[in-house]
Amino acid sequence: MSRLVVVSNRTGDPRNPAAGGLAVAVGESLRQTGGLWFGWSGKIQDEHGDEKAHYDDVHAQTVGDVQLVTLDLSRRDYETYYLGYANSVLWPVFHYRLDLADFDIRFVAGYRRVNELFARKLLPLLRSDDLIWVHDYHLIPLAAALRALGCGNRIGFFLHIPMPPPLIMAAIPEHEWLMKSLFAYDLVGLQSESDVTHFCHYVESEAHAERLSRERLRAFNRTLRVGAYPIGIDIDEFVRLAEAKDGRDMFLRMREEYSRRRLLLGVDRLDYSKGLPQRVEAFRELLARYPENRNRATLIQIASPSREKVGAYDDLRRQMDSLCGAINGDYGELDWMPVRYIHRNVARKRLPGLYRASRVALVTPLRDGMNLVAKEFIAAQDPADPGMLVLSRFAGAAEQLKEALLVNPYDIEGTAQAIERALTMSADERIQRHDALLSRIRKHDVHWWCSTFLQALKHVEQDVACGPTPHHEGL
Ligand code: GDG
């Protein structure tokens, strides 16, 4: 059996699913087969003249069946590749926020440099039959950099964030280079069918790609397979956490505290893609339009700190502080505060109990690749008395979770109405919707996601993958 090599910006501990999101999913794929996980250590080395640090030396350690290999980044690379191109160009543009993008010319140079560095350091560790799985927007040109060095392995790529439509993509000055480099992969996995449609439209209109079949495209002298592989969660892990002592304690504490009240919950990284200000506005509208919720409904919003060195995140923090302060000032009573806003990381073991105690989850991103919180909330519910999910139609998860109450998060009044509907929905309707949602996320869980993607990669018809291909020169 081929060894699995996973490459992502950051690595994690494959035995400890504490981190959530990508780390959980990637750890899961490696736990199934053993293998190598390669990425940035998270450390930054300053370069000082003669004492120029050997920041590109790799560190290796073995954790269970998995070999973890990481490298440090220089400060310049951290600023241009990570803070710059990845999080100030690709993240905002792929989430349709052209207004927040900073197209500084130094950023793309840093992005290319780090992708080439990853390729150079990874290549000597590879065996000829390794299956390589590259993750996310930080590493789009990695396969092209590996091919340029002669790597002929099967290489798959999964994009965790949305693929924007062609005209949004075209705002990136080097969009052609970026999209062309995806053709160095054998398989590109996206979160949803609408992402696949956007990608196909882009390469058909900008690169005159030929559509060989529903999933096969030919352009730049290469044939690429592309498909939707919606990421799932580890449901059994969630149920275990909900039933463990911490989960039960949390549930009982919250139920007691909010027994007379209606508890609404949001759990997100503090990120402008998650629609947090619009969500707080919709909650404010709920209190204004449906006064029976005053003194009763409480929104707990956990907003874990994220990318604090990127300016746009600082602005969002100030905006949230001010919105939450205003709503509490305007509506709060001595014994009731409408919003509990927590700008800290909450331990993962506490989340299932918190989800279960909540009547409604608000998952209302303006744009999101998938959104795992929506799925975690469903998994943690008591099937006999489940809470209701209010979900943005702009989250990738909306393609699968049709029985949630789907909203347009820009429509504050419409979202407030949906929240009221969720709060007052009959038990029968909640149970029916929850049954359907639960069976869908159980069928398409994280194990399904990993094995479907890896099976497709193993069996993809390989094209010109036996060495450098002409269009990768000069990456
Ligand atoms: C990217 C894409 C896609 C959140 N706050 C805390 C905490 N979390 C955990 C959640 C969940 C994870 O983080 C967040 O996952 P999401 O999917 O919601 O969002 P992103 O981080 O933006 O992830 C996204 C995902 O990749 C996977 O492909 O779904 O669209 O943007 O697991 O529970 N966990 C803890 N404390 C917190 O305060 N422990």
Side-chain angles (χ1 to χ4, degrees):
M1 199 168 75
S2 306
R3 182 178 68 155
L4 176 63
V5 174
V6 171
V7 191
S8 56
N9 174 56
R10 291 293 304 275
T11 61
D13 180 343
R15 288 174 312 185
N16 173 15
L22 187 146
V24 171
V26 169
E28 168 60 27
S29 57
L30 281 163
R31 264 200 309 279
Q32 281 179 13
T33 58
L36 177 82
W37 190 356
F38 186 90
W40 173 34
S41 62
K43 294 199 187 98
I44 302 156
Q45 298 276 352
D46 284 306
E47 297 167 78
H48 309 286
D50 292 349
E51 292 170 57
K52 186 170 182 289
H54 296 284
Y55 69 84
D56 60 355
D57 286 348
V58 298
H59 320 289
Q61 75 181 107
T62 304
V63 182
D65 288 342
V66 179
Q67 212 191 341
L68 280 179
V69 181
T70 58
L71 47 77
D72 303 342
L73 290 181
S74 69
R75 183 157 301 279
R76 183 175 68 134
D77 285 348
Y78 166 70
E79 283 169 0
T80 53
Y81 149 79
Y82 179 75
L83 295 179
Y85 204 72
N87 286 314
S88 302
V89 176
L90 298 181
W91 180 273
V93 173
F94 280 39
H95 288 89
Y96 300 32
R97 292 300 302 270
L98 297 180
D99 58 317
L100 296 179
D102 179 1
F103 298 112
D104 184 321
I105 189 86
R106 287 167 303 175
F107 292 169
V108 69
Y111 184 70
R112 285 171 187 245
R113 204 166 49 239
V114 171
N115 272 273
E116 284 166 353
L117 174 68
F118 267 47
R120 273 201 316 279
K121 295 295 167 184
L122 178 61
L123 193 76
L125 309 175
L126 294 177
R127 301 176 194 154
S128 59
D129 65 340
D130 281 344
L131 212 53
I132 306 173
W133 191 2
V134 178
H135 288 262
D136 230 359
Y137 58 102
H138 313 85
L139 300 172
I140 291 173
L142 183 63
L146 283 166
R147 301 278 187 233
L149 298 175
C151 174
N153 293 57
R154 281 171 192 272
I155 317 181
F157 177 76
F158 187 79
L159 184 69
H160 290 255
I161 64 175
M163 175 63 72
L167 284 181
I168 300 248
M169 180 66 81
I172 298 176
E174 47 287 324
H175 63 97
E176 286 164 11
W177 164 75
L178 201 62
M179 289 296 98
K180 191 156 113 179
S181 62
L182 276 177
F183 277 75
Y185 290 97
D186 298 293
L187 172 67
V188 166
L190 302 170
Q191 295 273 29
S192 68
E193 290 298 341
S194 76
D195 294 321
V196 173
T197 304
H198 290 158
F199 180 67
C200 292
H201 283 169
Y202 177 91
V203 286
E204 280 164 350
S205 64
E206 301 281 330
H208 311 293
E210 193 189 340
R211 193 90 181 248
L212 301 177
S213 66
R214 207 173 69 86
E215 296 211 322
R216 287 171 70 237
L217 291 162
R218 179 139 192 100
F220 312 111
N221 262 336
R222 289 263 309 170
T223 302
L224 173 71
R225 181 162 166 195
V226 61
Y229 299 85
I231 194 168
I233 59 164
D234 185 344
I235 301 219
D236 297 329
E237 184 232 83
F238 240 78
V239 171
R240 259 196 313 276
L241 282 175
E243 286 167 3
K245 186 173 179 315
D246 287 303
R248 284 201 320 270
D249 287 354
M250 186 61 159
F251 170 73
L252 292 173
R253 237 176 69 201
M254 298 313 280
R255 263 288 148 98
E256 189 174 319
E257 169 110 19
Y258 292 96
S259 58
R260 289 178 303 110
R261 297 199 162 131
R262 298 169 159 191
L263 184 57
L264 299 104
L265 179 68
V267 177
D268 308 77
R269 283 183 305 98
L270 184 63
D271 193 290
Y272 50 77
S273 64
K274 303 291 181 186
L276 298 176
Q278 290 81 354
R279 186 181 306 168
V280 174
E281 294 283 8
F283 181 62
R284 188 187 177 98
E285 182 67 18
L286 176 87
L287 299 179
R289 275 175 76 119
Y290 306 98
E292 62 276 20
N293 287 304
R294 294 183 204 163
N295 232 332
R296 285 185 79 196
T298 297
L299 169 63
I300 295 187
Q301 177 60 58
I302 294 165
S304 48
S306 184
R307 303 175 197 161
E308 291 176 305
K309 294 206 161 55
V310 178
Y313 289 73
D314 220 33
D315 297 345
L316 175 64
R317 182 181 178 173
R318 274 196 296 276
Q319 192 185 1
M320 283 297 285
D321 285 349
S322 138
L323 275 171
C324 295
I327 188 171
N328 281 342
D330 291 346
Y331 286 96
E333 300 286 348
L334 287 175
D335 63 349
W336 169 69
M337 279 297 150
V339 179
R340 290 202 175 182
Y341 170 57
I342 298 157
H343 181 233
R344 279 195 313 278
N345 205 54
V346 170
R348 186 164 176 81
K349 60 185 181 190
R350 297 182 167 227
L351 289 180
L354 194 55
Y355 287 139
R356 202 175 173 109
S358 304
R359 187 38 77 211
V360 174
L362 300 182
V363 179
T364 54
L366 304 179
R367 199 74 191 100
D368 216 331
M370 176 54 58
N371 198 296
L372 296 178
V373 171
K375 297 186 173 183
E376 291 168 359
F377 176 76
I378 294 163
Q381 296 308 300
D382 173 0
D385 181 21
M388 193 59 213
L389 173 65
V390 172
L391 176 64
S392 163
R393 56 172 298 184
F394 304 127
E399 267 185 20
Q400 293 177 297
L401 306 181
K402 297 275 185 232
E403 292 79 6
L405 290 183
L406 296 186
V407 295
N408 166 6
Y410 294 96
D411 174 4
I412 304 294
E413 278 189 29
T415 305
Q417 277 169 25
I419 300 173
E420 175 64 11
R421 187 163 166 225
L423 284 168
T424 53
M425 190 178 280
S426 72
D428 280 353
E429 186 174 353
R430 281 188 281 119
I431 290 170
Q432 224 173 45
R433 286 175 183 261
H434 178 258
D435 274 357
L437 291 167
L438 187 63
S439 61
R440 197 138 338 106
I441 63 169
R442 191 172 275 292
K443 188 165 168 214
H444 294 144
D445 68 356
V446 73
H447 309 285
W448 170 88
W449 174 73
C450 283
S451 56
T452 317
F453 184 90
L454 290 173
Q455 279 305 316
L457 180 58
K458 259 181 223 160
H459 295 113
V460 71
E461 205 179 300
Q462 254 198 316
D463 189 342
V464 198
C466 347
T469 46
H471 72 280
H472 304 128
E473 284 158 13
L475 172 92

